Amino acid sequence: SLTKYALYRPFLQSIKQEPRKILELGSGIGKTTSMIAERFPNARITATDYDETQIEKAQKMNKRQKTVFQQS
């Protein structure tokens, strides 16, 4: 839901360190992945989900070179 995603931005802003690598589990179609990438533009992100269809949608929606979507 929209409310769920509204909570992510303040949480991400509260993280003061700049990670080089991020692993996201259960990425779905990549909505949260996009927010993470926006907050940490220099980080390499590996986003995973068990659902191949979700991964395919995420790959189409997110063209950022430093982000990799994998089924796992």
Side-chain angles (χ1 to χ4, degrees):
S1 73
L2 186 58
T3 306
K4 173 182 154 182
Y5 292 109
L7 298 175
Y8 287 129
R9 285 194 202 287
F11 170 72
L12 291 171
Q13 291 301 323
S14 74
I15 300 171
K16 302 304 179 200
Q17 296 179 334
E18 290 288 328
R20 291 182 293 141
K21 296 179 183 177
I22 298 170
L23 173 62
E24 180 186 17
L25 305 174
S27 64
I29 62 170
K31 286 183 180 181
T32 307
T33 312
S34 294
M35 288 187 232
I36 294 169
E38 182 181 306
R39 170 64 180 94
F40 303 109
N42 297 318
R44 294 200 172 276
I45 301 171
T46 301
T48 65
D49 200 282
Y50 71 92
D51 187 334
E52 183 177 0
T53 304
Q54 299 280 37
I55 292 295
E56 290 171 0
K57 288 178 183 178
Q59 289 170 330
K60 289 177 184 173
M61 292 174 52
N62 297 277
K63 301 293 184 183
R64 182 178 179 265
Q65 288 186 344
K66 291 183 178 182
T67 301
V68 175
F69 290 93
Q70 297 179 344
Q71 183 183 9
S72 60

